[in-house]
Structures are given as C-alpha cells and as structure tokens.
Amino acid sequence: MSDARHQLTLALDDLDRAFAVEEPFPVWGCTYCYGEENFADLSGPLHLIPDDMVSAVAGEVPDHWGDFARLYRRLVPRIVRSVVTGQSYVDEELIASRLLQANWATWDAPLVRALNDVWIAWWQATLHTHPSPVPVRSTLSLITVATGGVRPWLDTWTATRCPAADAHLADFVDDVLFEFEITDLHMGFYDEYHAAPELLDWLLTEVRDRVDDTRLDSPYLREHHRPAHRSPGTP
C-alpha cells in the first residue's frame, strides 16, 4: 500500500471514531417510498444498516426524511467510505450536493475536521494512484462542491509531480475538452459551482506543459480564457 493510500485509510478510520458520538435515533420519513422495516433499520446500529438503505439516504431528496441533516450526519462514515473506495452506487456530485444540504460545514468542529482530513487524504491518494477507484473528475467535483472552492485542489495537483498525477491530467483534459465542455463547466448535481474560469486558466497556464493535447491551443479556448484570481494556499 502506498503512503498516500495508507493516509487515506487512517483518515477514514479517524472519521469513524469522530462520528461515533452520533447516537441512533428514531428515524421516520416518506411512507410512500419506505416501510416501517426501513425506518427500523435506519434507527438501529450504524454497522447493521443495509447497504441499500445507506445508498437511499445518500442520494434521496432531503424532504423524504424527518430529520435529514441528523440522519445524513449519522450515516456519513458509511456514505463517505463507500464513495472514496469506489463502492458507492450514488453519483459523487449528488453526494456533494446532499452534504451541502445537510450543512456539513456547520457541524461540530471535530466532525468537520475529520471530513476535511478525508478530502485532503482522498485527493492525495487519487493523484498518486492511476487508475483510481473513482475517476479524478468525480473526485475533484465532490471535494470542490463540498468545500466551496476548486483552487486549493488545483494547487495540490500542480505541486504533485508523478506519473499518476500526469496520467490523471491527461484523462481529465480528454474528458472536459469533449465538445469544449470546459468553457462552461459546472460542478455539483445542481451545478452549484461554476468551475470553468479557474479550470481553463489553470489548464492553459500552469499545467499546459504537462499535457500533450493540441486542442488546448484552440483559438476558441483562448477566446474564453480569462486569467483567474489565485488565492494563496493549499488544502
């Protein structure tokens, strides 16, 4: 196991410990979509909740649950572990949007800190592993929307010089240049984050020499390029 993967494992274990303070509580919700046995499962011990019910909470609209934020918070260790290991059946961008709807950044400090540590470790593990369990674009989208900014994660990518990071970069460019999606690219299930200006500036200036793709020299892209303001610091 690489050092980056080991750090991710440690971060996920720390996440489990931090969220262990979240006690079971009586769960109720939409009785048209779910039955009493489903609510009983969600009200029981975290490790005994069936995977399909964890996925249901991870992706279902908030108004299907009586106390969505509390339920999502309690299930975060299961939800996050499944997504970062590539075992989730729920779209990564939808999970990011649901985390915002659960107001995760307002939770108690130890919980927020544990989640932020996972985002950092997951990004490092992704950049150092190719192929990765989750495509790099999906990972970047989730952590960007969840944290409200793409720039710190791009700074980390710029500073990470290894074959895996460059291979991910080639994959990412090939993806976002299809029909020049990069010129109006949004992240999040509800398009919460308009990433195009920062991403295009980054691709055309900071990492251009690391990508062998002549499409980046297109006059069309140059017309859309506006140098982005860069905030100092990395995650």
Side-chain angles (χ1 to χ4, degrees):
M1 179 184 296
S2 69
D3 182 62
R5 281 284 152 192
H6 179 63
Q7 291 303 315
L8 176 57
T9 298
L10 293 178
L12 288 171
D13 290 344
D14 287 343
L15 187 74
D16 289 341
R17 284 189 285 271
F19 279 79
V21 299
E22 294 295 319
E23 297 287 343
F25 68 97
V27 174
W28 59 276
C30 175
T31 56
Y32 182 81
C33 298
Y34 303 101
E36 291 299 326
E37 69 279 9
N38 301 131
F39 300 137
D41 286 337
L42 290 171
S43 303
L46 181 62
H47 69 285
L48 294 180
I49 298 175
D51 289 342
D52 64 332
M53 289 310 303
V54 174
S55 294
V57 174
E60 188 65 89
V61 291
D63 63 8
H64 268 52
W65 310 108
D67 190 342
F68 166 74
R70 185 179 180 185
L71 179 59
Y72 212 91
R73 185 170 63 245
R74 182 169 177 249
L75 266 60
V76 151
R78 293 277 304 273
I79 294 170
V80 171
R81 184 178 288 273
S82 68
V83 72
V84 305
T85 55
Q87 298 176 343
S88 174
Y89 296 105
V90 182
D91 181 88
E92 291 82 7
E93 292 194 300
L94 181 55
I95 288 175
S97 296
R98 294 289 182 255
L99 282 165
L100 291 185
Q101 292 170 316
N103 296 311
W104 79 274
T106 68
W107 297 346
D108 290 345
L111 308 185
V112 173
R113 185 166 53 249
L115 259 178
N116 274 318
D117 288 345
V118 169
W119 306 147
I120 294 169
W122 185 28
W123 188 230
Q124 288 285 0
T126 298
L127 293 179
H128 285 86
T129 308
H130 187 274
S132 53
V134 180
V136 70
R137 177 173 174 175
S138 297
T139 301
L140 182 61
S141 293
L142 192 158
I143 59 180
T144 292
V145 173
T147 61
V150 72
R151 187 68 232 181
W153 312 108
L154 297 182
D155 287 343
T156 299
W157 203 343
T158 302
T160 305
R161 293 274 186 166
C162 66
D166 287 345
H168 278 305
L169 185 56
D171 292 344
F172 183 77
V173 168
D174 189 55
D175 188 358
V176 300
L177 287 186
F178 179 70
E179 296 185 347
F180 291 111
E181 181 189 7
I182 186 63
T183 61
D184 191 29
L185 191 151
H186 289 74
M187 293 177 169
F189 191 77
Y190 302 105
D191 292 341
E192 294 95 332
Y193 193 90
H194 187 212
E198 293 165 288
L199 282 173
L200 186 55
D201 182 60
W202 178 71
L203 289 174
L204 295 182
T205 60
E206 297 178 56
V207 292
R208 178 65 188 90
D209 61 331
R210 293 166 63 179
V211 184
D212 184 18
D213 195 318
T214 57
R215 288 176 295 175
L216 286 172
D217 300 322
S218 165
Y220 180 74
L221 289 186
R222 298 291 173 179
E223 289 173 5
H224 283 79
H225 177 220
R226 299 290 184 272
H229 173 70
R230 297 183 181 88
S231 300
T234 57

mmCIF file with all atom_site columns, all heavy atoms in Angstrom, residues 173-188:
data_model
loop_
_atom_site.group_PDB
_atom_site.id
_atom_site.type_symbol
_atom_site.label_atom_id
_atom_site.label_alt_id
_atom_site.label_comp_id
_atom_site.label_asym_id
_atom_site.label_entity_id
_atom_site.label_seq_id
_atom_site.pdbx_PDB_ins_code
_atom_site.Cartn_x
_atom_site.Cartn_y
_atom_site.Cartn_z
_atom_site.occupancy
_atom_site.B_iso_or_equiv
_atom_site.pdbx_formal_charge
_atom_site.auth_seq_id
_atom_site.auth_comp_id
_atom_site.auth_asym_id
_atom_site.auth_atom_id
_atom_site.pdbx_PDB_model_num
ATOM 1   N N   . VAL A 1 173 ? -8.254  16.192 -19.072 1.00 0.00 ? 173 VAL A N   1
ATOM 2   C CA  . VAL A 1 173 ? -8.290  17.073 -20.242 1.00 0.00 ? 173 VAL A CA  1
ATOM 3   C C   . VAL A 1 173 ? -9.127  16.451 -21.358 1.00 0.00 ? 173 VAL A C   1
ATOM 4   O O   . VAL A 1 173 ? -9.961  17.118 -21.986 1.00 0.00 ? 173 VAL A O   1
ATOM 5   C CB  . VAL A 1 173 ? -6.864  17.384 -20.728 1.00 0.00 ? 173 VAL A CB  1
ATOM 6   C CG1 . VAL A 1 173 ? -6.889  18.053 -22.098 1.00 0.00 ? 173 VAL A CG1 1
ATOM 7   C CG2 . VAL A 1 173 ? -6.151  18.272 -19.719 1.00 0.00 ? 173 VAL A CG2 1
ATOM 8   N N   . ASP A 1 174 ? -8.914  15.168 -21.606 1.00 0.00 ? 174 ASP A N   1
ATOM 9   C CA  . ASP A 1 174 ? -9.674  14.499 -22.658 1.00 0.00 ? 174 ASP A CA  1
ATOM 10  C C   . ASP A 1 174 ? -11.170 14.536 -22.363 1.00 0.00 ? 174 ASP A C   1
ATOM 11  O O   . ASP A 1 174 ? -11.998 14.672 -23.276 1.00 0.00 ? 174 ASP A O   1
ATOM 12  C CB  . ASP A 1 174 ? -9.195  13.053 -22.792 1.00 0.00 ? 174 ASP A CB  1
ATOM 13  C CG  . ASP A 1 174 ? -9.790  12.372 -24.017 1.00 0.00 ? 174 ASP A CG  1
ATOM 14  O OD1 . ASP A 1 174 ? -9.636  12.906 -25.131 1.00 0.00 ? 174 ASP A OD1 1
ATOM 15  O OD2 . ASP A 1 174 ? -10.415 11.310 -23.849 1.00 0.00 ? 174 ASP A OD2 1
ATOM 16  N N   . ASP A 1 175 ? -11.510 14.445 -21.079 1.00 0.00 ? 175 ASP A N   1
ATOM 17  C CA  . ASP A 1 175 ? -12.915 14.465 -20.671 1.00 0.00 ? 175 ASP A CA  1
ATOM 18  C C   . ASP A 1 175 ? -13.523 15.853 -20.880 1.00 0.00 ? 175 ASP A C   1
ATOM 19  O O   . ASP A 1 175 ? -14.542 16.007 -21.554 1.00 0.00 ? 175 ASP A O   1
ATOM 20  C CB  . ASP A 1 175 ? -13.004 14.058 -19.199 1.00 0.00 ? 175 ASP A CB  1
ATOM 21  C CG  . ASP A 1 175 ? -14.437 13.859 -18.728 1.00 0.00 ? 175 ASP A CG  1
ATOM 22  O OD1 . ASP A 1 175 ? -15.368 14.072 -19.518 1.00 0.00 ? 175 ASP A OD1 1
ATOM 23  O OD2 . ASP A 1 175 ? -14.618 13.484 -17.554 1.00 0.00 ? 175 ASP A OD2 1
ATOM 24  N N   . VAL A 1 176 ? -12.890 16.884 -20.333 1.00 0.00 ? 176 VAL A N   1
ATOM 25  C CA  . VAL A 1 176 ? -13.514 18.209 -20.336 1.00 0.00 ? 176 VAL A CA  1
ATOM 26  C C   . VAL A 1 176 ? -13.385 18.936 -21.673 1.00 0.00 ? 176 VAL A C   1
ATOM 27  O O   . VAL A 1 176 ? -14.063 19.945 -21.893 1.00 0.00 ? 176 VAL A O   1
ATOM 28  C CB  . VAL A 1 176 ? -12.949 19.100 -19.213 1.00 0.00 ? 176 VAL A CB  1
ATOM 29  C CG1 . VAL A 1 176 ? -13.191 18.465 -17.860 1.00 0.00 ? 176 VAL A CG1 1
ATOM 30  C CG2 . VAL A 1 176 ? -11.460 19.400 -19.417 1.00 0.00 ? 176 VAL A CG2 1
ATOM 31  N N   . LEU A 1 177 ? -12.529 18.419 -22.573 1.00 0.00 ? 177 LEU A N   1
ATOM 32  C CA  . LEU A 1 177 ? -12.422 19.037 -23.888 1.00 0.00 ? 177 LEU A CA  1
ATOM 33  C C   . LEU A 1 177 ? -13.428 18.473 -24.891 1.00 0.00 ? 177 LEU A C   1
ATOM 34  O O   . LEU A 1 177 ? -13.537 18.985 -26.006 1.00 0.00 ? 177 LEU A O   1
ATOM 35  C CB  . LEU A 1 177 ? -11.006 18.891 -24.448 1.00 0.00 ? 177 LEU A CB  1
ATOM 36  C CG  . LEU A 1 177 ? -9.933  19.764 -23.813 1.00 0.00 ? 177 LEU A CG  1
ATOM 37  C CD1 . LEU A 1 177 ? -8.621  19.631 -24.561 1.00 0.00 ? 177 LEU A CD1 1
ATOM 38  C CD2 . LEU A 1 177 ? -10.355 21.232 -23.761 1.00 0.00 ? 177 LEU A CD2 1
ATOM 39  N N   . PHE A 1 178 ? -14.167 17.441 -24.490 1.00 0.00 ? 178 PHE A N   1
ATOM 40  C CA  . PHE A 1 178 ? -15.183 16.903 -25.392 1.00 0.00 ? 178 PHE A CA  1
ATOM 41  C C   . PHE A 1 178 ? -16.230 17.979 -25.629 1.00 0.00 ? 178 PHE A C   1
ATOM 42  O O   . PHE A 1 178 ? -16.869 18.477 -24.687 1.00 0.00 ? 178 PHE A O   1
ATOM 43  C CB  . PHE A 1 178 ? -15.822 15.648 -24.793 1.00 0.00 ? 178 PHE A CB  1
ATOM 44  C CG  . PHE A 1 178 ? -16.894 15.048 -25.661 1.00 0.00 ? 178 PHE A CG  1
ATOM 45  C CD1 . PHE A 1 178 ? -16.560 14.420 -26.853 1.00 0.00 ? 178 PHE A CD1 1
ATOM 46  C CD2 . PHE A 1 178 ? -18.232 15.148 -25.307 1.00 0.00 ? 178 PHE A CD2 1
ATOM 47  C CE1 . PHE A 1 178 ? -17.545 13.877 -27.672 1.00 0.00 ? 178 PHE A CE1 1
ATOM 48  C CE2 . PHE A 1 178 ? -19.219 14.603 -26.105 1.00 0.00 ? 178 PHE A CE2 1
ATOM 49  C CZ  . PHE A 1 178 ? -18.876 13.970 -27.298 1.00 0.00 ? 178 PHE A CZ  1
ATOM 50  N N   . GLU A 1 179 ? -16.387 18.362 -26.876 1.00 0.00 ? 179 GLU A N   1
ATOM 51  C CA  . GLU A 1 179 ? -17.283 19.451 -27.267 1.00 0.00 ? 179 GLU A CA  1
ATOM 52  C C   . GLU A 1 179 ? -16.997 20.725 -26.472 1.00 0.00 ? 179 GLU A C   1
ATOM 53  O O   . GLU A 1 179 ? -17.871 21.558 -26.234 1.00 0.00 ? 179 GLU A O   1
ATOM 54  C CB  . GLU A 1 179 ? -18.750 19.031 -27.114 1.00 0.00 ? 179 GLU A CB  1
ATOM 55  C CG  . GLU A 1 179 ? -19.138 17.872 -28.044 1.00 0.00 ? 179 GLU A CG  1
ATOM 56  C CD  . GLU A 1 179 ? -20.613 17.528 -27.988 1.00 0.00 ? 179 GLU A CD  1
ATOM 57  O OE1 . GLU A 1 179 ? -21.297 18.008 -27.053 1.00 0.00 ? 179 GLU A OE1 1
ATOM 58  O OE2 . GLU A 1 179 ? -21.073 16.780 -28.876 1.00 0.00 ? 179 GLU A OE2 1
ATOM 59  N N   . PHE A 1 180 ? -15.733 20.862 -26.046 1.00 0.00 ? 180 PHE A N   1
ATOM 60  C CA  . PHE A 1 180 ? -15.262 22.051 -25.321 1.00 0.00 ? 180 PHE A CA  1
ATOM 61  C C   . PHE A 1 180 ? -16.135 22.374 -24.110 1.00 0.00 ? 180 PHE A C   1
ATOM 62  O O   . PHE A 1 180 ? -16.446 23.532 -23.822 1.00 0.00 ? 180 PHE A O   1
ATOM 63  C CB  . PHE A 1 180 ? -15.158 23.258 -26.259 1.00 0.00 ? 180 PHE A CB  1
ATOM 64  C CG  . PHE A 1 180 ? -14.049 23.123 -27.271 1.00 0.00 ? 180 PHE A CG  1
ATOM 65  C CD1 . PHE A 1 180 ? -14.331 22.962 -28.613 1.00 0.00 ? 180 PHE A CD1 1
ATOM 66  C CD2 . PHE A 1 180 ? -12.729 23.136 -26.864 1.00 0.00 ? 180 PHE A CD2 1
ATOM 67  C CE1 . PHE A 1 180 ? -13.310 22.814 -29.550 1.00 0.00 ? 180 PHE A CE1 1
ATOM 68  C CE2 . PHE A 1 180 ? -11.689 22.999 -27.777 1.00 0.00 ? 180 PHE A CE2 1
ATOM 69  C CZ  . PHE A 1 180 ? -11.981 22.840 -29.130 1.00 0.00 ? 180 PHE A CZ  1
ATOM 70  N N   . GLU A 1 181 ? -16.501 21.316 -23.373 1.00 0.00 ? 181 GLU A N   1
ATOM 71  C CA  . GLU A 1 181 ? -17.298 21.497 -22.160 1.00 0.00 ? 181 GLU A CA  1
ATOM 72  C C   . GLU A 1 181 ? -16.611 22.428 -21.168 1.00 0.00 ? 181 GLU A C   1
ATOM 73  O O   . GLU A 1 181 ? -17.272 23.128 -20.392 1.00 0.00 ? 181 GLU A O   1
ATOM 74  C CB  . GLU A 1 181 ? -17.560 20.143 -21.498 1.00 0.00 ? 181 GLU A CB  1
ATOM 75  C CG  . GLU A 1 181 ? -18.397 20.229 -20.244 1.00 0.00 ? 181 GLU A CG  1
ATOM 76  C CD  . GLU A 1 181 ? -18.474 18.916 -19.486 1.00 0.00 ? 181 GLU A CD  1
ATOM 77  O OE1 . GLU A 1 181 ? -17.766 17.967 -19.866 1.00 0.00 ? 181 GLU A OE1 1
ATOM 78  O OE2 . GLU A 1 181 ? -19.231 18.858 -18.510 1.00 0.00 ? 181 GLU A OE2 1
ATOM 79  N N   . ILE A 1 182 ? -15.280 22.471 -21.207 1.00 0.00 ? 182 ILE A N   1
ATOM 80  C CA  . ILE A 1 182 ? -14.510 23.258 -20.255 1.00 0.00 ? 182 ILE A CA  1
ATOM 81  C C   . ILE A 1 182 ? -14.907 24.731 -20.261 1.00 0.00 ? 182 ILE A C   1
ATOM 82  O O   . ILE A 1 182 ? -14.713 25.439 -19.267 1.00 0.00 ? 182 ILE A O   1
ATOM 83  C CB  . ILE A 1 182 ? -12.991 23.107 -20.550 1.00 0.00 ? 182 ILE A CB  1
ATOM 84  C CG1 . ILE A 1 182 ? -12.145 23.799 -19.472 1.00 0.00 ? 182 ILE A CG1 1
ATOM 85  C CG2 . ILE A 1 182 ? -12.643 23.660 -21.928 1.00 0.00 ? 182 ILE A CG2 1
ATOM 86  C CD1 . ILE A 1 182 ? -12.293 23.224 -18.118 1.00 0.00 ? 182 ILE A CD1 1
ATOM 87  N N   . THR A 1 183 ? -15.471 25.223 -21.362 1.00 0.00 ? 183 THR A N   1
ATOM 88  C CA  . THR A 1 183 ? -15.809 26.645 -21.442 1.00 0.00 ? 183 THR A CA  1
ATOM 89  C C   . THR A 1 183 ? -17.018 27.018 -20.584 1.00 0.00 ? 183 THR A C   1
ATOM 90  O O   . THR A 1 183 ? -17.249 28.206 -20.335 1.00 0.00 ? 183 THR A O   1
ATOM 91  C CB  . THR A 1 183 ? -16.069 27.070 -22.900 1.00 0.00 ? 183 THR A CB  1
ATOM 92  O OG1 . THR A 1 183 ? -17.175 26.316 -23.419 1.00 0.00 ? 183 THR A OG1 1
ATOM 93  C CG2 . THR A 1 183 ? -14.838 26.839 -23.761 1.00 0.00 ? 183 THR A CG2 1
ATOM 94  N N   . ASP A 1 184 ? -17.785 26.036 -20.143 1.00 0.00 ? 184 ASP A N   1
ATOM 95  C CA  . ASP A 1 184 ? -18.951 26.330 -19.292 1.00 0.00 ? 184 ASP A CA  1
ATOM 96  C C   . ASP A 1 184 ? -19.200 25.165 -18.357 1.00 0.00 ? 184 ASP A C   1
ATOM 97  O O   . ASP A 1 184 ? -20.300 24.615 -18.291 1.00 0.00 ? 184 ASP A O   1
ATOM 98  C CB  . ASP A 1 184 ? -20.183 26.612 -20.143 1.00 0.00 ? 184 ASP A CB  1
ATOM 99  C CG  . ASP A 1 184 ? -21.339 27.170 -19.323 1.00 0.00 ? 184 ASP A CG  1
ATOM 100 O OD1 . ASP A 1 184 ? -21.077 27.838 -18.306 1.00 0.00 ? 184 ASP A OD1 1
ATOM 101 O OD2 . ASP A 1 184 ? -22.512 26.928 -19.696 1.00 0.00 ? 184 ASP A OD2 1
ATOM 102 N N   . LEU A 1 185 ? -18.176 24.781 -17.619 1.00 0.00 ? 185 LEU A N   1
ATOM 103 C CA  . LEU A 1 185 ? -18.244 23.588 -16.786 1.00 0.00 ? 185 LEU A CA  1
ATOM 104 C C   . LEU A 1 185 ? -18.705 23.943 -15.372 1.00 0.00 ? 185 LEU A C   1
ATOM 105 O O   . LEU A 1 185 ? -18.118 24.802 -14.714 1.00 0.00 ? 185 LEU A O   1
ATOM 106 C CB  . LEU A 1 185 ? -16.870 22.911 -16.746 1.00 0.00 ? 185 LEU A CB  1
ATOM 107 C CG  . LEU A 1 185 ? -16.803 21.517 -16.128 1.00 0.00 ? 185 LEU A CG  1
ATOM 108 C CD1 . LEU A 1 185 ? -15.659 20.724 -16.766 1.00 0.00 ? 185 LEU A CD1 1
ATOM 109 C CD2 . LEU A 1 185 ? -16.597 21.575 -14.618 1.00 0.00 ? 185 LEU A CD2 1
ATOM 110 N N   . HIS A 1 186 ? -19.750 23.266 -14.938 1.00 0.00 ? 186 HIS A N   1
ATOM 111 C CA  . HIS A 1 186 ? -20.250 23.410 -13.573 1.00 0.00 ? 186 HIS A CA  1
ATOM 112 C C   . HIS A 1 186 ? -20.052 22.097 -12.829 1.00 0.00 ? 186 HIS A C   1
ATOM 113 O O   . HIS A 1 186 ? -20.062 21.018 -13.424 1.00 0.00 ? 186 HIS A O   1
ATOM 114 C CB  . HIS A 1 186 ? -21.734 23.774 -13.565 1.00 0.00 ? 186 HIS A CB  1
ATOM 115 C CG  . HIS A 1 186 ? -22.025 25.156 -14.034 1.00 0.00 ? 186 HIS A CG  1
ATOM 116 N ND1 . HIS A 1 186 ? -21.961 25.512 -15.373 1.00 0.00 ? 186 HIS A ND1 1
ATOM 117 C CD2 . HIS A 1 186 ? -22.390 26.274 -13.349 1.00 0.00 ? 186 HIS A CD2 1
ATOM 118 C CE1 . HIS A 1 186 ? -22.271 26.789 -15.490 1.00 0.00 ? 186 HIS A CE1 1
ATOM 119 N NE2 . HIS A 1 186 ? -22.537 27.281 -14.291 1.00 0.00 ? 186 HIS A NE2 1
ATOM 120 N N   . MET A 1 187 ? -19.896 22.198 -11.517 1.00 0.00 ? 187 MET A N   1
ATOM 121 C CA  . MET A 1 187 ? -19.752 21.024 -10.665 1.00 0.00 ? 187 MET A CA  1
ATOM 122 C C   . MET A 1 187 ? -20.885 20.990 -9.656  1.00 0.00 ? 187 MET A C   1
ATOM 123 O O   . MET A 1 187 ? -21.399 22.031 -9.238  1.00 0.00 ? 187 MET A O   1
ATOM 124 C CB  . MET A 1 187 ? -18.405 21.043 -9.942  1.00 0.00 ? 187 MET A CB  1
ATOM 125 C CG  . MET A 1 187 ? -17.210 20.878 -10.861 1.00 0.00 ? 187 MET A CG  1
ATOM 126 S SD  . MET A 1 187 ? -15.647 21.011 -9.945  1.00 0.00 ? 187 MET A SD  1
ATOM 127 C CE  . MET A 1 187 ? -14.494 20.454 -11.208 1.00 0.00 ? 187 MET A CE  1
ATOM 128 N N   . GLY A 1 188 ? -21.239 19.779 -9.243  1.00 0.00 ? 188 GLY A N   1
ATOM 129 C CA  . GLY A 1 188 ? -22.351 19.603 -8.321  1.00 0.00 ? 188 GLY A CA  1
ATOM 130 C C   . GLY A 1 188 ? -23.583 19.134 -9.073  1.00 0.00 ? 188 GLY A C   1
ATOM 131 O O   . GLY A 1 188 ? -23.790 19.483 -10.238 1.00 0.00 ? 188 GLY A O   1
#
